[in-house]
Amino acid sequence: MVESNVFPKDLCNLLCDVGFSEAKIPQFFALTENDKEWILVVRRAMGVRGVEAMQKLVKQTGGAYQPRPATYFIPRGQRVEVPSDTPTKLRSHETSETEPQPAQTITVKLNQLIYGKYSPRYKVAKGLRKPKVNEEHVDRLVDALKAGEKLPMPKVRPFERNNVAKVPLYEVVDGEHTCMACEKFGLDEIEVVPKGLSHLDALLFALDWNLRHGLPVTPLQEARQIERMLNECEGVSQEQIAKRLNRSPAWVSNRRALLKVADKEKFTRVNLGHARKIVTAKEEDREPIAEKVDREGLSVKDTIAVVEAIEEIPEKKHEILTSMGRPTVYSCGIPGCKEGTYNPERYDGVRLCISHRKLFNEDPGAIEKLLKQKASSPQKIETKIFKPKEKWEHRKATMQVGVSKFENHVGVKLQRRGLPMGQPNKEVTVPFHKPDRIWYLPKGCLVAYFDGPVHKGREDRDRAVREAWRTLGVRVVEVKFERDSDEATDETVDELERNFREMGWVPLVPVEVH
């Protein structure tokens, strides 16, 4: 087997067909190849969409997957078949007979391109205008061109409506920042991939391509693109858009909820969870509730309490919206009732929830019967005395969430040296059953435990867990330190680098051996 950092064109085409960006492939995988197959070792987390794409690639090529370390085996000479009549999933390359094949490219002048119509990064307005440009991203692409790198080719569709120009014009569907970078670099022409897309398909593919690569798209921008499809394309439903984007209907409806919140651009702290609950309130109450959420930074649970309180006691809406925090929840006065109420008023001396309040309005005697029935059969109240025990459940509940300062400093120095940072354990500060960090390397799995002053008192329990790791073939590195210092972190990083190299890790850029 030969290790290589250069990915063959055939392998890149396979990975691009399932949704990967060619520029980011070396960031996700380390390549080892032989005469029969390509061996891809995962370098970093790919996310849910990346894992689904690799599962699809393994299934269609007849490859295999090994979990520890995460490795994909792809046979050589295979090809991913993407049927053109599959409507349930957007594809990286369209193979319709009415449009050019993905391999066909044309060279056009930059003044023949029209920006902004299909980009999800601009607000719909009359006429065509450029979307909001990220100048930093454009500068990075210009630096890549100066270094001789080849950028992904933009995807365009012919512009035919009211085209009085003698030269053909094209609307950019994906790759606007690439076109702007080429223009800033001083190029007059650019190679593009023409697509015979309809208006709906162009909006769908522009959103899908932006979700897969490049700059991140905000939920509000996604919502605007979805709303454009529903308004500008006849006969398109919300369920069809969700199916074409390979998303759930809830994913689409949650983003549309953002558009129903007034002045959503002003409320930077209102997210999807907040908007989903705010839209259930009356239309005149949505903006005041959003202002309260944005002003006080309320959580989703607090937002639910505000909406429910206004719905239950509308006469106290002004007091709820102007007071700090969430409204007070009062327990129902009926014994055994687990519901609460935001209304502090009492009915015949008993505070009732909404359900029992309706029952009281229909039959006041029914509430009296419930109170008498419960009072006639009193139950013994058992008091539980908490006795502290040396149990992990008790210790875990009292520990502070997060990671130690020592581990944070080690992670920073790993990043500065260009070493793999691994997956940190962020569950608790002093974990019992999990290591502080874990790496999946070409020759196996490596875990590290950072034993400092706060770890004392649990060596006997941790010893059994670490031995269990070793029986599974995992290399365990134990780092002992007395205090968080530069010397201790440097020694730790040196020890980890030595183990990385022994486990088959090879840097992309030569790293000085310490």
Side-chain angles (χ1 to χ4, degrees), residues 416-478:
R416 288 177 178 174
R417 290 198 192 179
L419 302 174
M421 298 178 62
Q423 300 177 3
N425 170 29
K426 295 185 178 180
E427 184 177 354
V428 288
T429 302
V430 191
F432 154 60
H433 62 294
K434 292 185 178 180
D436 292 282
R437 288 203 178 230
I438 183 169
W439 290 267
Y440 297 102
L441 300 170
K443 294 184 179 180
C445 184
L446 171 69
V447 300
Y449 286 89
F450 301 141
D451 298 331
V454 295
H455 300 74
K456 292 181 179 179
R458 64 182 180 92
E459 290 84 355
D460 53 342
R461 290 175 294 177
D462 276 3
R463 186 61 53 193
V465 177
R466 299 177 192 188
E467 290 300 328
W469 279 108
R470 292 188 176 97
T471 57
L472 295 174
V474 177
R475 177 177 292 197
V476 179
V477 176
E478 299 175 353

Side-chain angles (χ1 to χ4, degrees), residues 7 50 66 78 101 116 142 162 171 188 200 250 266-267 281 286 306 312 316 348 362 375 400 470:
F7 285 75
Q66 171 185 310
Q78 297 294 322
Q101 296 296 324
V142 172
N162 298 329
E171 296 171 320
D188 296 330
L200 173 61
K266 183 178 70 174
F267 305 137
R286 291 173 185 171
V306 171
E312 186 177 352
K316 296 194 175 183
D348 286 352
E362 295 174 359
Q400 181 184 0
R470 292 188 176 97

Side-chain angles (χ1 to χ4, degrees), residues 64-123:
Y65 170 69
Q66 171 185 310
R68 291 188 177 180
T71 307
Y72 294 92
F73 301 87
I74 309 299
R76 287 175 173 268
Q78 297 294 322
R79 182 179 178 183
V80 178
E81 297 294 337
V82 185
S84 60
D85 58 349
T86 304
T88 59
K89 196 165 188 176
L90 288 175
R91 306 177 296 277
S92 300
H93 306 294
E94 296 72 41
T95 57
S96 172
E97 296 179 357
T98 61
E99 58 179 311
Q101 296 296 324
Q104 296 179 357
T105 61
I106 58 175
T107 302
V108 300
K109 293 185 177 297
L110 289 171
N111 56 13
Q112 295 179 244
L113 301 178
I114 301 175
Y115 302 123
K117 182 174 181 179
Y118 296 104
S119 172
R121 295 189 179 89
Y122 86 110
K123 191 174 182 179

Side-chain angles (χ1 to χ4, degrees), residues 31-45:
L31 174 64
T32 304
E33 53 184 323
N34 54 32
D35 296 336
K36 296 182 179 181
E37 59 188 2
W38 292 299
I39 304 174
L40 299 174
V41 181
V42 178
R43 289 181 179 271
R44 50 176 286 191

Side-chain angles (χ1 to χ4, degrees), residues 134-145:
N134 189 318
E135 296 293 346
E136 294 182 359
H137 185 59
V138 173
D139 292 339
R140 286 194 294 267
L141 295 178
V142 172
D143 294 338
L145 289 172

Side-chain angles (χ1 to χ4, degrees), residues 112-173:
Q112 295 179 244
L113 301 178
I114 301 175
Y115 302 123
K117 182 174 181 179
Y118 296 104
S119 172
R121 295 189 179 89
Y122 86 110
K123 191 174 182 179
V124 180
K126 293 183 179 180
L128 299 178
R129 63 182 179 87
K130 290 185 178 182
K132 184 178 179 180
V133 181
N134 189 318
E135 296 293 346
E136 294 182 359
H137 185 59
V138 173
D139 292 339
R140 286 194 294 267
L141 295 178
V142 172
D143 294 338
L145 289 172
K146 292 179 180 179
E149 298 182 15
K150 187 176 181 181
L151 302 180
M153 287 181 289
K155 301 172 182 62
V156 300
R157 70 185 291 266
F159 177 74
E160 300 175 355
R161 182 169 56 89
N162 298 329
N163 185 9
V164 296
K166 296 182 180 180
V167 295
L169 301 178
Y170 299 90
E171 296 171 320
V172 180
V173 180

Side-chain angles (χ1 to χ4, degrees), residues 289-329:
I289 295 174
E291 288 180 356
K292 179 178 176 64
V293 172
D294 187 71
R295 180 178 66 251
E296 302 177 15
L298 298 182
S299 64
V300 176
K301 289 186 177 181
D302 293 342
T303 306
I304 294 174
V306 171
V307 174
E308 291 178 350
I310 293 176
E311 182 181 358
E312 186 177 352
I313 42 176
E315 63 274 9
K316 296 194 175 183
K317 178 174 67 174
H318 179 73
E319 181 182 344
I320 294 171
L321 293 173
T322 55
S323 60
M324 291 294 294
R326 60 182 295 173
T328 305
V329 183

